[in-house]
Amino acid sequence: MRKIIIASHYKLADGMKQTLEFIAGEQKNCVALSAYVNNNPIEDEISGIIKDISKDDELIIFTDMLAGSVNQKFFPYKERLHTHIITGMNLPIILAIALSPESDYLTEDRIRTLISEAKDQLIYVNDINAEMSDDDE
């Protein structure tokens, strides 16, 4: 089974999970971790989530930014079997992973492809408008 953790500073993770569920329906295997909202140490929150995940479960962890403390706290888990940590998350990558078939573990190559496709969704829209002709409207 695939488990997903969406983790961020403050409430971005909650918003991402809520938006994911708005688009894709309820996600029972997805947990949002909004760090630094309460006084609980983030390490305790992380271990509390991961302790309930079977060693055979695939674990996909999304974090908000590479150099951030949230990502750093997940870094030790990258050695866990069937675990993938993706930082710089955006909605396209979360949707792509959440909607991927769970019949097999995701390969590293498949994850890299999905990340590349998600990066392609980061676009300066003003450039698109500048290139549109009157016929395109």
Side-chain angles (χ1 to χ4, degrees):
M1 181 176 292
R2 182 172 302 132
K3 306 287 186 171
I4 296 173
I5 299 172
I6 303 172
S8 71
H9 294 83
Y10 203 58
K11 297 182 181 181
L12 177 63
D14 290 323
M16 283 286 204
K17 182 174 187 266
Q18 289 170 0
T19 304
L20 169 65
E21 291 184 331
F22 175 77
I23 295 169
E26 184 179 9
Q27 301 292 307
K28 293 181 181 180
N29 295 323
C30 180
V31 175
L33 171 58
S34 292
Y36 312 115
V37 174
N38 55 41
N39 289 329
N40 297 334
I42 186 173
E43 298 89 349
D44 294 348
E45 293 186 74
I46 292 170
S47 63
I49 293 168
I50 292 182
K51 74 174 175 58
D52 294 328
I53 299 174
S54 166
K55 65 180 172 108
D56 295 324
D57 283 339
E58 181 175 40
L59 177 58
I60 311 295
I61 301 166
F62 293 102
T63 65
D64 51 3
M65 54 188 194
L66 180 62
S69 58
V70 174
N71 188 67
Q72 291 174 14
K73 299 300 182 186
F74 277 101
F75 198 80
Y77 294 95
K78 75 182 193 88
E79 301 303 322
R80 180 189 175 276
L81 194 61
H82 311 301
T83 298
H84 306 277
I85 302 172
I86 300 168
T87 194
M89 66 181 167
N90 64 12
L91 189 56
I93 186 62
I94 294 172
L95 277 166
I97 297 286
L99 297 175
S100 291
E102 291 187 41
S103 53
D104 292 311
Y105 294 116
L106 290 169
T107 65
E108 291 178 4
D109 284 341
R110 180 67 182 143
I111 290 175
R112 287 185 185 103
T113 297
L114 294 174
I115 289 171
S116 178
E117 291 170 359
K119 284 180 184 179
D120 289 343
Q121 295 298 307
L122 186 61
I123 297 169
Y124 184 48
V125 176
N126 290 22
D127 288 342
I128 293 173
N129 291 335
E131 295 173 6
M132 289 178 63
S133 70
D134 290 337
D135 294 338
D136 291 336
E137 294 181 37

